[in-house]
Amino acid sequence: MPLYTERFYVYLSEDCWRKLPVFKPENLEHENMWIMKEAQCLRNSAFSFCKARSKGQHIYEAGSIETLIRIVDENGGFTIIPEMHLDFLSEAQRKNVRKIEGNYLSQRRISLYIRKDFVKERMLNTIIDSMKEFMPAQMLSEGIRKYDIRL
């Protein structure tokens, strides 16, 4: 069951941001790219719009989005952040966020997988109701926004 779709954004250092008022991935080949460690799903999206691991000066790894943002703020370059993290940025940091333009993987779909014999419909609807409380409505799939789960 698709639950929601989350877009990815590029978080640029202030120096990089001043050079690029309109974000185009191909213009970042001389900037440092900071990404999540191997097991993180944001890593694939980062490589998708860079088209190759070798593109850019260096690729560094960190364990959390917050760490990546601090590294970019201190050392320059750019990273990928998910839409849900935008609310955690300061006003100054929000100015460094850009949409990813072009034909690049710039979103992820979050789904709930259940077995056919799973019968805890009430529990699933409690989870969905909780999600509706804190998630932006435009991110939720249409089925989740309009209907309860029926097994």
Side-chain angles (χ1 to χ4, degrees):
M1 284 179 265
L3 298 177
Y4 65 92
T5 302
E6 181 173 35
R7 291 181 300 218
F8 293 121
Y9 291 84
V10 173
Y11 182 83
L12 304 161
S13 68
E14 278 196 38
D15 290 340
C16 187
W17 174 73
R18 286 188 191 114
K19 289 186 270 183
L20 298 168
V22 175
F23 175 72
K24 293 181 182 176
E26 59 271 13
N27 293 342
L28 293 176
E29 64 186 52
H30 300 294
E31 298 290 341
N32 289 331
M33 178 179 173
W34 306 86
I35 61 170
M36 297 294 274
K37 287 190 177 184
E38 189 70 42
Q40 305 294 332
C41 62
L42 291 179
R43 181 183 181 87
N44 292 335
S45 293
F47 288 144
S48 171
F49 84 79
C50 287
K51 293 188 179 176
R53 187 177 182 140
S54 61
K55 190 130 183 162
Q57 280 186 310
H58 304 291
I59 297 175
Y60 300 93
E61 296 184 4
S64 74
I65 295 167
E66 200 55 46
T67 300
L68 290 171
I69 289 170
R70 277 189 251 128
I71 290 171
V72 169
D73 287 344
E74 292 293 320
N75 299 298
F78 66 100
T79 192
I80 305 292
I81 62 172
E83 185 174 5
M84 289 264 237
H85 198 81
L86 296 178
D87 289 342
F88 298 108
L89 299 176
S90 70
E91 193 65 36
Q93 289 174 322
R94 286 187 187 142
K95 294 177 183 175
N96 298 335
V97 174
R98 294 288 181 274
K99 285 184 180 179
I100 299 173
E101 301 293 333
N103 295 324
Y104 306 97
L105 175 64
S106 59
Q107 66 183 22
R108 63 180 168 184
R109 176 171 285 151
I110 307 302
S111 297
L112 179 63
Y113 291 87
I114 58 173
R115 292 172 37 133
K116 287 183 180 184
D117 62 349
F118 187 82
V119 293
K120 297 183 180 171
E121 188 174 285
R122 191 167 149 205
M123 181 184 74
L124 292 175
N125 282 309
T126 300
I127 292 169
I128 299 304
D129 289 343
S130 295
M131 288 177 59
K132 288 177 183 178
E133 291 289 320
F134 71 87
M135 292 191 62
Q138 74 273 9
M139 287 177 64
L140 293 170
S141 71
E142 184 177 2
I144 296 299
R145 271 194 317 262
K146 291 183 177 180
Y147 311 106
D148 285 340
I149 294 174
R150 301 276 183 235
L151 300 178

